Amino acid sequence: MRTIRVETSAATILLTEAPEPKVRDRQTGEIAKDAVSGEALMTIGVVHIEDGESSLIKVTVPESGVSEGLALGAPISLPGLVARPWESVFNGQQRHGIAFRAAAVTPAAFPAVVTGTDAEAAA
């Protein structure tokens, strides 16, 4: 399936769930690994806010891409964020969705707020 780059420069992304190992098989507890590098994968929960709308999403990152200093509710950056459509059949039912993956998750700053007087001074 095609991988689609996700542009996040105009968005605010906040961490809502701490990184935890991505489980490949719930029955055995097997941890998911990157198909190319073999590195363990982690998942995080985030809220993506842009143009007055928000979405809760799960993002997969390699274990080495999880930075120190992450705090719940704090802004983060997701370099290399991509979306990949998927579909499968589970228990005879067709399922589909979008999987999100990033190269890393790092702390970020809240975007600056431009007030009316600041905007007028900049003009």
Side-chain angles (χ1 to χ4, degrees):
M1 288 250 161
R2 177 166 165 69
T3 299
I4 304 161
R5 279 180 277 160
V6 179
E7 172 58 48
T8 60
S9 63
T12 298
I13 303 172
L14 305 175
L15 185 65
T16 59
E17 294 179 31
E20 60 183 40
K22 182 174 183 170
V23 178
R24 180 171 190 237
D25 185 332
R26 290 185 181 137
Q27 291 181 333
T28 65
E30 178 186 359
I31 302 301
K33 307 247 186 231
D34 182 271
V36 176
S37 70
E39 182 176 2
L41 297 173
M42 307 289 283
T43 60
I44 59 170
V46 304
V47 61
H48 177 278
I49 306 165
E50 188 173 5
D51 295 332
E53 295 185 17
S54 64
S55 299
L56 290 170
I57 60 173
K58 294 275 192 177
V59 180
T60 300
V61 294
E63 189 172 34
S64 65
V66 177
S67 297
E68 295 291 324
L70 298 173
L72 291 179
I76 58 167
S77 176
L78 295 169
L81 182 63
V82 295
R84 180 177 301 152
W86 62 268
E87 63 180 53
S88 67
V89 177
F90 183 74
N91 286 337
Q93 292 187 321
Q94 183 88 15
R95 301 180 69 185
H96 61 277
I98 300 173
F100 293 91
R101 182 149 177 185
V105 53
T106 61
F110 279 108
V113 176
V114 178
T115 63
T117 56
D118 291 341
E120 292 166 5

